[in-house]
Amino acid sequence: MDLLEKRFDVVVVGGGIVGLSVALEVQSHGLSAAIVDPGVVTDRASYGNAGVLSRGSIFPMAAPGIRSRLPRYALGRDIAVRARLRSLPHLLPWLTRFLVAAEEGAWRRAAAALDPMVAQAFDRHVAMAELVGGRHLIKRNGWLRLYRNAEGLAGSRLEREVLAQQRVSFHCLDEDEIRQLEPHLAHRFTHGIFFPDTGSVESPGELVELYRAAAEARGAAFVAGAADAIIEAEGGMAVRAGNRRIEGRHVVLAAGARSATLAATLGYRFPLAAERGYHRHFELPDGVELRRPVYDAAGGYVLSPMNGKVRLLSGVELARPDDPPDHVQIEAVEPDARRTLAFTQPVEDTPWLGSRPSTPDGLPVIGRAARHPHLVFAFGHGHIGFANGPATGAIVASLVASQKPPLPVEAFSPARFGG
């Protein structure tokens, strides 16, 4: 039967970690699924992340004190965050709400709202990976944040207070303890924070492809192409992709940084920014290893072990999803990262670039559309989308099946943006 003639229970827009998790979860409820996605694996944000399933990633970017640093971001004077000046007019709706969210009370409430989801990230990934033969890719090896002096560690005091309130396990380390965990790092870090309950994925792209293959093996139809619009259909919704129309009883919008554009075809206006990141892989000399992902707080980069190599990841670039690449951040951190770990030649000719969907308050958008009960939104996870894709899939499947979600979702409601 042609796709134009078949009607699915659920049509998912987006084939990244969130969309695939949704498909696998609705299939577990006995529902049929179609996934509409351009099909370019390396273009997805879930391909190029650090692979961290972090227990401590409960903080939105809109943090107390960040307002004073915005001019540095706009002028390119901060290695960790950079805003594309030409994109600022497009980002104004996002930036206006971001400034409102950047106060301590909102930041604490956001951390409390994210905590139940983040607390399940590792276990939900493991459960899904076991179903698809990918358990070997996931390790509980911890996550290490590194500081070059006592002042750097002191700057994390408020975060550590909130982490303790949310009962997130962490240990403050001295220089000797850092060396015991990572003996091949240069001796340039005097303090660190270790998150023992955090895990990592050896190859995020490989794991996502296993999820894709599993969804297809269970009967999911994959429609290769970019969705142009979401439209109403009799008794449900439909997705238009080129000259194809794919109908479903429900449509789930999980198209990452491009979700706002598609939502606008139905009149929903979400302030979404592309939280873009770059990475590049490097070879390691014989006898040199990195045992877990590490973050150099002063350097503004992450080093993550990937299949015997190391992935170097830059900080955040705020831009539009389709802005041309600008390698200034990844090129700026590479010399510094080489002073931390003795890696050698790059594997790829050019760095990878991906766009993560960022909301102003740092909370994802998960829930039914206000005016279209057969449309469910599932996007806006920012830098924690890969880790929390499986949890989001479980939430969305429960909404589609008219069941109680397995996690609190009130704070993620689209209604906070009028959706």
Side-chain angles (χ1 to χ4, degrees):
M1 180 181 291
D2 189 271
L3 284 172
L4 295 174
E5 302 174 7
K6 182 174 180 178
R7 183 184 179 94
F8 297 88
D9 293 317
V10 181
V11 179
V12 183
V13 182
I17 184 63
V18 175
L20 291 172
S21 297
V22 169
L24 287 167
E25 288 287 347
V26 299
Q27 287 176 319
S28 72
H29 284 69
L31 304 177
S32 62
I35 299 174
V36 182
D37 185 81
V40 183
V41 174
T42 55
D43 283 354
R44 301 175 189 139
S46 49
Y47 173 84
N49 57 87
V52 179
L53 308 179
S54 175
R55 179 63 188 92
S57 291
I58 61 175
F59 299 110
M61 190 162 53
I66 201 170
R67 294 170 182 165
S68 63
R69 298 195 292 273
L70 290 178
R72 290 177 54 82
Y73 300 160
L75 295 173
R77 295 176 180 172
D78 193 294
I79 197 66
V81 182
R82 181 173 179 266
R84 295 286 283 263
L85 284 174
R86 291 184 178 180
S87 300
L88 285 180
H90 171 82
L91 297 175
L92 279 178
W94 179 91
L95 184 58
T96 301
R97 288 179 175 265
F98 180 86
L99 292 173
V100 173
E103 58 91 17
E104 186 173 332
W107 180 76
R108 286 178 177 269
R109 289 190 295 273
L114 285 171
D115 186 67
M117 173 184 281
V118 172
Q120 296 189 15
F122 183 88
D123 290 340
R124 286 192 176 274
H125 257 288
V126 166
M128 189 174 289
E130 286 178 339
L131 292 176
V132 304
R135 179 63 182 88
H136 64 286
L137 295 171
I138 303 177
K139 303 176 182 177
R140 196 188 288 275
N141 49 359
W143 163 245
L144 187 57
R145 287 165 55 177
L146 300 169
Y147 302 92
R148 302 182 186 183
N149 50 51
E151 291 75 16
L153 177 65
S156 68
R157 179 196 58 79
L158 185 57
E159 285 192 11
R160 285 181 279 130
E161 176 190 322
V162 175
L163 289 168
Q165 289 174 349
Q166 299 299 330
R167 299 182 180 179
V168 177
S169 177
F170 66 90
H171 309 300
C172 291
L173 308 179
D174 60 25
E175 190 170 359
D176 289 337
E177 291 168 322
I178 293 171
R179 292 179 187 176
Q180 291 174 21
L181 286 175
E182 293 293 344
H184 294 101
L185 293 184
H187 300 166
R188 62 192 311 209
F189 304 105
T190 61
H191 297 77
I193 301 176
F194 180 60
F195 295 86
D197 295 335
T198 288
S200 67
V201 176
E202 187 77 7
S203 176
E206 183 179 349
L207 184 60
V208 171
E209 283 304 290
L210 287 175
Y211 291 156
R212 183 192 188 283
E216 189 169 28
R218 288 162 171 75
F222 283 82
V223 182
D228 301 315
I230 300 172
I231 55 180
E232 295 184 76
E234 185 177 350
M237 303 293 291
V239 176
R240 191 174 65 235
N243 62 355
R244 289 167 293 184
R245 173 187 168 104
I246 306 95
E247 290 196 8
R249 187 163 56 88
H250 290 87
V251 165
V252 177
L253 178 54
R258 292 174 173 80
S259 296
T261 301
L262 285 168
T265 65
L266 285 170
Y268 297 99
R269 305 294 176 184
F270 292 102
L272 209 62
E275 189 180 314
R276 308 207 312 178
Y278 298 79
H279 84 226
R280 202 171 192 185
H281 294 100
F282 296 87
E283 300 284 355
L284 289 170
D286 290 342
V288 174
E289 69 169 343
L290 186 67
R291 298 174 178 176
R292 58 187 54 79
V294 300
Y295 170 56
D296 180 351
Y301 62 83
V302 172
L303 291 169
S304 190
M306 294 280 168
N307 291 329
K309 299 175 177 58
V310 64
R311 177 178 287 183
L312 171 65
L313 301 102
S314 68
V316 170
E317 179 190 47
L318 295 172
R320 294 171 295 186
D322 296 322
D323 279 342
D326 186 343
H327 298 150
V328 62
Q329 279 176 293
I330 190 75
E331 291 174 350
V333 298
E334 181 185 333
D336 195 11
R338 287 184 178 276
R339 291 193 286 271
T340 292
L341 185 69
F343 53 82
T344 59
Q345 69 269 19
V347 176
E348 307 93 351
D349 292 334
T350 58
W352 172 90
L353 163 64
S355 295
R356 297 160 296 203
S358 176
T359 60
D361 57 10
L363 300 174
V365 177
I366 307 175
R368 291 188 183 275
R371 300 183 301 279
H372 300 85
H374 295 280
L375 172 63
V376 179
F377 298 124
F379 58 84
H381 297 73
H383 59 280
I384 61 171
F386 176 75
N388 294 285
T392 302
I395 293 170
V396 171
S398 70
L399 294 174
V400 168
S402 299
Q403 298 174 354
K404 181 180 179 181
L407 295 163
V409 295
E410 291 80 8
F412 308 150
S413 172
R416 70 189 195 274
F417 297 122

